[in-house]
Amino acid sequence: MSTSSTRLPEGRYGRSSDQRADRTLKVVGAVLSVLMLGLIGWFGYHYVAQNEISAEVIGFDTAEDSVKVHLEVHKDAGVAGYCTIRSQSEDGAEVGRADFRFAEDATRVDEVVTLRTTSRGTSAELVGCHTD
């Protein structure tokens, strides 16, 4: 007794539908990967290249009605801008927020600024910096 084969002869009827679907998925995946990498690169470039002013809080001292913040600002020469700083109390409530302007021609500004608060602040946080 012989057994008959249920497989089709190779090369006679072309690719199966599974092989075509696999190839289509690979092409779609490759195109989407390239688009995603391009999008990430575009956002990264604009975040790094277009950010003309940045700052860092070096330290702070608290008092009953103010917080003295040591701020180091890096910016392009001739760029004017401001940085927003806020302070919170021990329970997390915001007790002070202010913008401090930096219009000097220097590329690095190291300054101590005073943030007035409504009650004793326990922190100093840099919210962000923006150009004019």
Side-chain angles (χ1 to χ4, degrees):
M1 186 167 214
S2 68
T3 59
S4 64
S5 173
T6 58
R7 291 183 33 183
L8 297 174
E10 288 187 34
R12 187 168 200 183
Y13 297 105
R15 293 183 175 183
S16 71
S17 62
D18 290 342
Q19 289 173 333
R20 281 191 295 273
D22 288 345
R23 186 170 195 280
T24 302
L25 284 174
K26 287 179 185 177
V27 169
V28 168
V31 168
L32 289 176
S33 297
V34 168
L35 288 174
M36 184 61 102
L37 284 174
L39 188 65
I40 290 170
W42 184 77
F43 280 123
Y45 169 76
H46 282 283
Y47 179 76
V48 173
Q50 303 298 322
N51 194 7
E52 297 172 335
I53 184 169
S54 65
E56 180 181 7
V57 173
I58 304 300
F60 62 91
D61 291 322
T62 62
E64 196 58 40
D65 63 347
S66 66
V67 176
K68 290 186 187 252
V69 182
H70 182 188
L71 194 63
E72 184 177 300
V73 179
H74 297 275
K75 62 185 189 67
D76 294 340
V79 171
Y82 62 94
C83 293
T84 305
I85 297 179
R86 76 175 184 162
S87 180
Q88 293 177 312
S89 64
E90 193 170 319
D91 64 356
E94 186 174 282
V95 294
R97 178 183 287 250
D99 294 333
F100 296 98
R101 301 193 79 47
F102 301 98
E104 297 103 13
D105 284 335
T107 59
R108 181 179 173 276
V109 178
D110 195 5
E111 193 171 322
V112 175
V113 295
T114 302
L115 173 65
R116 299 284 174 207
T117 59
T118 56
S119 63
R120 186 170 194 86
T122 59
S123 68
E125 179 185 0
L126 176 66
V127 177
C129 294
H130 306 281
T131 58
D132 289 338

